[in-house]
Amino acid sequence: MVHASPSLPEPRPELDGTAAAAWITWLPQPLPPLQAPVEDGPAPLAGLRFAVKDNIDVAGLPTTAACPAFGHVATEDAGVVRRLRRAGALVAGKTNLDQFACGLNGTRSPYGAVPNAFDPAYVSGGSSSGSAFAVATGEVDFALGTDTAGSGRVPAGLNNIVGLKPSRGLLSAHGVVPAAQSVDCVSILARTVELAARVLCAAMGPDPRDPYSRELTLAPAHWPASFRFGVPSLRAFFGDTQAEAAFDLAIERLQALGGTPVEIDYTPLAEAAALLYDSALVAERYAAVRPFFDAHEAAVIEPVRTILAQGRAYDAAQHVEAQTRLRALGQRAAAMWTQIDVLAVPTAPTHCTIADMRADPVAHNSRMGVYTNFVNLLDYAALSVPSSLRPDGLPFGITLIGPCGSDLALAVLGQRYHHATGLPLGATGEPMPVPLPLPQAPAAATVQVAVVGAHLSGMPLNGQLTARGARLVASTRTAPQYRLFALPGTTPPKPGMVRTAPGEGAAIAVEVWDMPLDRYGSFVALIPAPLGIGTLTLEDGSAVQGFLCEPLALAGAQDISHHGGWRAYIRSLAA
């Protein structure tokens, strides 16, 4: 059964009414995969069934964006759907959503409100509501959603599943009805991090038909045993004490996994989030469907109609001002990556019943985005993972946020965290499986950099390495031909290392980090005089890039070479 034209969903005798609300187009016999070239090797997603949010095109099926008057039958697959079908996956149907992906709750659809998979009185979260319900209940193996302000993460957190929000431009958005095109992402919902990461690797790649697609080099799928995680200074749970206690438990679990919590100033993130709807940036939502909306405004339901209509009120100059304001906030927010390796926030700060959401749809919906709205605006990657089941039986999830390109690194930490919870998979009751190896991104060109002082693990500037996807590969020493000095008047305190004549130096402790080559230039640009990058010789005779100091800057500096390294010198000061 395929709907010949966009319409209300037909009855599904094999499911009750609440489950049927998750679907707009249901296919008892899924669409087969597309034939992949033989040289592509075994299909990585062979036999897996997936659902597609109904603002993403599937050839031969209607695309409605939950607005029947807008509906049309797609003539070709969206770029991301085509990649997944070539990887062996089968399309099971099209899922319900908040109309035009405008909402975080799952009730803004003429096809019905999608219920929470654990309690049908509560919202599913949105706008990828149907996709989340279908995954949580085991109807499909994974699903595609979209995520502009949290639409792929909030429903994941509220339904005890994984929501992977890729770096912007990593997955093609060609064939996706835009919400705010410059920040839209196709998202992945699954019951395990491993499957979400496998789907990501099968689906990613540049697409010239998508104006915002880009070729990104991902950081390796690696996470250190010790790390620093940011927690927001803003704790907004709107009186939901169960959610607040669940987040405290999440912080304790991250600590047990080797993390050290660091409170970060949430102000620039919150101000950036507010721009999405409270500034001229909302005009992009109107522009996304402008021809249809201007001709058929009455066909759009409330409060979506009001949200889109307010985009008409802004002029081009105001949009430029909002973009400039956003860039300034991004500069302020970037400082946190020098202090932390990952940011951890509640995926959603509270649960809400469908009745309460309908009674006050704007205020309750706004609460859902407190910890999600800023992520795409500031070009970060994010992964929502299940964290716990509250005393009332409702799920609580956390989101791990990292710099652009950290998608697979986040997956490593996310998988560790998810398996540490011992939770069942979604709402299926199935136990957590044994963790499977995560896929690696295609190998990218890298450069090895030796650091000697403030960039060492745990030191104040280490975040400049981790934010660029650098990975610690060795703790070693230089050849015995260097001298190390404590430079006066530097903030944070830094050493300077110089090469000496043979027989006059010492072996100095260093760490060697492997950094993506395309991020090396931005790292070098941060290095202040009198420091610079040169070629260092290590004790095994190999050569790497590393920190050196201009000799003229050593006047008045203390020679600390006898300590053998910066860490030993810092310990001597404490002693």
Side-chain angles (χ1 to χ4, degrees):
M1 173 184 69
V2 177
H3 294 186
S5 61
S7 60
L8 293 174
E10 298 177 22
R12 293 179 49 192
E14 74 279 19
L15 293 175
D16 62 27
T18 58
W23 297 89
I24 292 178
T25 299
W26 162 251
L27 305 173
Q29 297 299 319
L31 298 180
L34 300 175
Q35 185 65 42
V38 175
E39 61 269 19
D40 285 355
L45 305 177
L48 297 182
R49 299 172 71 251
F50 75 106
V52 180
K53 186 176 180 178
D54 200 26
N55 60 343
I56 304 174
D57 286 344
V58 176
L61 300 183
T63 299
T64 70
C67 181
F70 176 81
H72 60 278
V73 175
T75 57
E76 63 175 339
D77 288 337
V80 65
V81 172
R82 180 172 178 80
R83 283 180 177 267
L84 293 174
R85 295 182 69 190
R86 286 172 67 89
L90 298 81
V91 176
K94 306 290 289 298
T95 51
N96 201 356
L97 66 150
D98 285 318
Q99 192 172 77
F100 291 115
C102 194
L104 291 173
N105 61 79
T107 69
R108 298 174 176 177
S109 171
Y111 296 99
V114 179
N116 189 279
F118 284 75
D119 186 336
Y122 283 80
V123 299
S124 59
S127 60
S128 307
S129 51
S131 289
F133 186 95
V135 170
T137 54
E139 291 189 303
V140 292
D141 297 295
F142 69 93
L144 293 182
T146 59
D147 191 310
T148 301
S151 292
R153 289 162 280 154
V154 168
L158 296 183
N159 287 279
N160 195 45
I161 61 173
V162 173
L164 192 160
K165 200 294 298 178
S167 296
R168 280 182 0 209
L170 188 59
L171 298 186
S172 170
H174 173 73
V176 178
V177 178
Q181 193 170 8
S182 69
V183 291
D184 288 345
C185 294
V186 174
S187 62
I188 299 164
L189 298 109
R191 289 185 293 279
T192 66
V193 174
E194 182 276 330
L195 180 54
R198 189 161 24 121
V199 172
L200 175 70
C201 289
M204 68 185 186
D207 185 346
R209 299 172 299 173
D210 174 6
Y212 291 97
S213 176
R214 51 182 174 169
E215 187 132 20
L216 292 172
T217 300
L218 297 187
H222 168 82
W223 196 264
S226 299
F227 60 94
R228 297 164 301 162
F229 65 95
V231 292
S233 56
L234 170 70
R235 291 178 67 90
F237 295 96
F238 305 100
D240 191 334
T241 57
Q242 292 191 48
E244 187 166 13
F247 187 55
D248 289 337
L249 176 63
I251 293 173
E252 292 175 7
R253 184 174 290 125
L254 284 167
Q255 290 177 288
L257 292 174
T260 300
V262 178
E263 185 175 282
I264 61 99
D265 179 11
Y266 198 72
T267 304
L269 304 180
E271 291 181 9
L275 289 175
L276 192 62
Y277 290 105
D278 297 338
S279 78
L281 295 186
V282 76
E284 193 166 355
R285 287 201 177 258
Y286 165 61
V289 291
R290 179 178 179 179
F292 171 81
F293 187 71
D294 286 349
H296 306 281
E297 184 172 343
V300 179
I301 64 174
E302 287 290 4
V304 177
R305 185 191 313 157
T306 296
I307 293 169
L308 298 179
Q310 73 184 61
R312 293 170 169 153
Y314 296 99
D315 60 30
Q318 289 171 309
H319 192 267
V320 171
E321 290 168 355
Q323 288 284 2
T324 302
R325 173 66 176 154
L326 177 61
R327 292 297 295 269
L329 290 169
Q331 296 280 25
R332 284 175 54 195
M336 71 180 174
W337 300 116
T338 66
Q339 307 170 53
I340 61 173
D341 303 301
V342 64
L343 175 61
V345 300
T347 298
T350 186
H351 278 263
C352 179
T353 65
I354 292 174
D356 286 344
M357 182 64 69
R358 285 174 167 163
D360 193 353
V362 175
H364 284 297
N365 185 84
S366 178
R367 292 176 179 180
M368 293 293 178
V370 166
Y371 294 110
T372 60
N373 285 359
F374 66 89
V375 175
N376 283 350
L377 292 173
L378 299 181
D379 200 13
Y380 299 153
L383 178 70
S384 176
V385 290
S387 184
S388 60
L389 292 178
R390 304 162 15 144
D392 60 6
L394 294 172
F396 177 82
I398 66 166
T399 295
L400 304 172
I401 301 169
C404 177
S406 64
D407 307 67
L408 293 181
L410 291 177
V412 176
L413 178 59
Q415 185 182 56
R416 289 180 193 168
Y417 185 92
H418 190 197
H419 282 265
T421 67
L423 289 168
L425 297 180
T428 66
E430 297 175 11
M432 186 81 68
V434 174
L436 297 174
L438 293 173
Q440 288 285 348
T446 60
V447 59
Q448 290 198 334
V449 185
V451 298
V452 69
H455 288 88
L456 294 167
S457 300
M459 294 290 181
L461 299 183
N462 184 251
Q464 294 180 358
L465 293 167
T466 57
R468 287 163 177 77
R471 180 173 61 94
L472 178 62
V473 295
S475 294
T476 183
R477 298 190 303 170
T478 67
Q481 56 191 67
Y482 296 90
R483 307 295 298 180
L484 191 67
F485 294 82
L487 298 177
T490 55
T491 303
K494 301 181 185 73
M497 189 165 67
V498 295
R499 187 187 298 270
T500 66
E504 297 181 6
I508 305 299
V510 296
E511 289 180 352
V512 180
W513 289 71
D514 206 38
M515 179 180 292
L517 185 59
D518 63 348
R519 303 182 185 189
Y520 182 55
S522 67
F523 173 70
V524 173
L526 296 175
I527 300 170
L531 302 178
I533 293 288
T535 301
L536 302 186
T537 304
L538 302 181
E539 61 181 355
D540 64 0
S542 61
V544 296
Q545 298 292 289
F547 279 81
L548 290 171
C549 182
E550 299 173 9
L552 291 176
L554 303 180
Q558 178 186 358
D559 189 335
I560 58 172
S561 307
H562 59 284
H563 289 286
W566 185 245
R567 287 191 195 279
Y569 168 68
I570 295 296
R571 285 195 297 268
S572 74
L573 296 180

